[in-house]
Amino acid sequence: MPQVPNLKYCANGEWKESRTQKYMPVTNSSTGELIARAPCCTPDEVNEAIEAARAAFPAWASTPVTRRADLMFRYRAVLDRHLDELTMLVCRELGKNLDEARGDVLKAIEAVDLACSTPVLMQGDALFNVSRGFDTTMYREPVGVFAGIVPFNFPAMIPFGWMIPLCITTGNTFVLKASSQTPMTAIRLLELLIETGLPKGVVNPVTCSRNEA
């Protein structure tokens, strides 16, 4: 009988075993089979992820926006190659049927498409003589570290559609609280993004509970 894996968290590009004593079950929603255990990361581990994002921000924010967009172009191709794998992963841990699971992943891919256009989206504006003797200039620039809390029912679309692609391509860094019920899809999506060339610390996922760790 295969051993049930304990999932890891990631800080500064390194996948780590949690020191917690509390693990939350991840089950195959179609069969009830236990397929993984998600760590209830300790406060120190969550803070480690936050500090990694904070440390990575200056270098990432100063990376030319065209290079950040290049990462999304490469990631888009990787997601196309892994579409079937990701679809089956959503089916397995969430219990959606094949068409709905595929749609969840495709919605994430649509957001990656949009993030490829970030060099245009981040362009500013200027207006001369807005008032006598005054000109105005508007810049769009990175803000800092963001965090996202993912619900269980859209494990691909929400973290890697609504949250991460535009956030990081505009130069910010991210701490992701993946759903403790369906974390495997988000973890796999981040593994693929790291393999594509994401710098260390730009995205840092944890799993934890609203209850005391």
Side-chain angles (χ1 to χ4, degrees):
M1 187 173 181
Q3 185 176 3
V4 176
N6 288 337
L7 302 178
K8 299 179 180 180
Y9 74 99
C10 183
N12 198 33
E14 182 179 349
W15 293 96
K16 301 182 178 184
E17 295 277 0
S18 174
R19 296 181 293 276
T20 186
Q21 299 300 310
K22 179 180 178 182
Y23 280 81
M24 296 163 285
V26 181
T27 59
N28 182 325
S29 297
S30 299
T31 66
E33 173 195 4
L34 181 66
I35 56 177
R37 297 184 184 92
C40 185
C41 290
T42 68
D44 285 345
E45 289 164 350
V46 174
N47 287 333
E48 180 185 4
I50 295 169
E51 290 305 317
R54 182 175 291 134
F57 173 69
W60 183 240
S62 64
T63 299
V65 65
T66 50
R67 288 185 57 190
R68 299 196 301 258
D70 282 345
L71 175 67
M72 289 294 110
F73 277 106
R74 298 195 302 273
Y75 189 45
R76 174 64 163 82
V78 169
L79 293 179
D80 278 343
R81 292 197 299 271
H82 289 267
L83 177 58
D84 289 343
E85 173 200 346
L86 293 165
T87 297
M88 293 307 300
L89 186 53
V90 174
C91 287
R92 187 181 182 211
E93 70 171 351
L94 181 56
K96 286 187 174 182
N97 64 41
L98 191 63
D99 286 344
E100 288 186 347
R102 188 179 184 88
D104 189 5
V105 179
L106 288 173
K107 284 297 182 182
I109 293 176
E110 284 181 7
V112 174
D113 283 338
L114 179 61
C116 291
S117 64
T118 300
V120 175
L121 297 176
M122 288 195 74
Q123 289 181 5
D125 293 296
L127 179 61
F128 295 106
N129 294 320
V130 66
S131 182
R132 188 175 299 278
F134 289 92
D135 304 328
T136 63
T137 304
M138 181 183 72
Y139 298 95
R140 293 186 173 96
E141 57 187 17
V143 176
V145 177
F146 284 74
I149 299 175
V150 182
F152 77 95
N153 55 335
F154 289 97
M157 181 184 75
I158 290 181
F160 283 85
W162 294 2
M163 294 180 178
I164 289 173
L166 280 170
C167 185
I168 66 170
T169 314
T170 52
N172 305 289
T173 56
F174 206 88
V175 177
L176 180 71
K177 191 278 183 189
S179 168
S180 301
Q181 294 173 263
T182 56
M184 298 172 70
T185 300
I187 288 172
R188 182 59 180 146
L189 282 163
L190 180 58
E191 287 175 344
L192 293 172
L193 184 53
I194 291 173
E195 291 172 12
T196 305
L198 182 74
K200 292 181 178 181
V202 174
V203 180
N204 306 272
V206 297
T207 53
C208 54
S209 171
R210 63 181 180 277
N211 300 319
E212 183 178 348

